[in-house]
Amino acid sequence: MTHRITVSNQKGGVGKTTICLHLAVALADRGRDVLLIDLDPSAYLSVHLGLDEDYYEENENSLAYHLVEGSRSNPEGTILNSDEGVDVISSNYDMRGVEDRLSAERNREMRLKMFLDEVDEDYDYTLVDSPPSLGILYDNAILACRRVVIPIKDEDMSIISIHRALDEIDEIERAFRIDAEILAIVPNLVRPDGVAASTLEGLRNTDGVKEYLTPFEIRQRVAIRRAMKKRTTLYKHKPSCDQTENFEKLADLVVSKCEGDP
Ligand SMILES: Nc1ncnc2c1ncn2[C@@H]1O[C@H](COP(=O)(O)OP(=O)(O)O)[C@@H](O)[C@H]1O
Ligand SMILES: [Mg+2]
């Protein structure tokens, strides 16, 4: 059975797509079969992987179609290969209308789970890149995966904003009577002049936060932004960058939490 994980945060620009991609590639490097799902209507992940060619074309075998109509035929036909060694189900223009179209539907929050149940059985990991807002798609990601990696950005690094992110997940757990596991809260875009080391140190000593916060943080590096802009990964663009090891550490943490220590 596959381990499903969503990289979620209701805020945009915190590094969800960047972390989702690097985590996926790091897991693939560890010999795992990985399926990446782009659940964001902006389709940044799909664009990044060069899989946005048909973005504006109506497609009866798109993720949006399967979420709205339910899977009728050939759900595996949505799976694309990428040059990064991971398989991908891309987003397209129709994803913009999915929340509206689902708003009055039965089981609207369960659509992604129902779809994934048909396609991801043979993968070791399914990673869902979540949209930057609360709503039906966000709920779908949590309900389908039940394991969450939460990136937080340097400027938002406070107990209040971490609690806000955790509260959203709590609310879904209560509303749908499920248990979701927070695999990691990952400080990202950490600048030398930004959040003081003491703030991070304080968070690492705060009950209710310290349990989830990774013992490493991903620093802001031009090489990461450039790698994403060049539609590649840091591993390929600048393997010597000091932050590759933090993506590796995240992959190791995810493996040990999902598969247990060897
Ligand atoms: N650690 C980092 N250092 C430098 N740039 C980063 C880092 N993490 C993300 N970025 C850049 O920040 C922007 C937002 O990241 P992205 O992953 O798209 O966030 P989200 O998916 O949460 O909206 C992108 O331009 C990305 O390349
Ligand atoms: Mg994104």
Side-chain angles (χ1 to χ4, degrees), residues 16-17 40 44 129-130:
K16 289 184 292 298
T17 302
D40 184 351
Y44 286 132
D129 185 20
S130 208

Side-chain angles (χ1 to χ4, degrees), residues 9 11-20 40 44 129-130 132 151 153 188-190 218-229 243 247:
N9 185 320
K11 286 202 169 181
V14 298
K16 289 184 292 298
T17 302
T18 304
I19 287 174
C20 200
D40 184 351
Y44 286 132
D129 185 20
S130 208
K153 189 175 163 172
N188 184 31
L189 286 150
V190 175
I218 300 174
R219 306 213 150 248
Q220 179 167 337
R221 290 287 180 265
V222 173
I224 298 178
R225 188 156 38 82
R226 287 215 183 112
M228 293 300 283
K229 217 170 180 178
Q243 296 309 298
F247 289 118

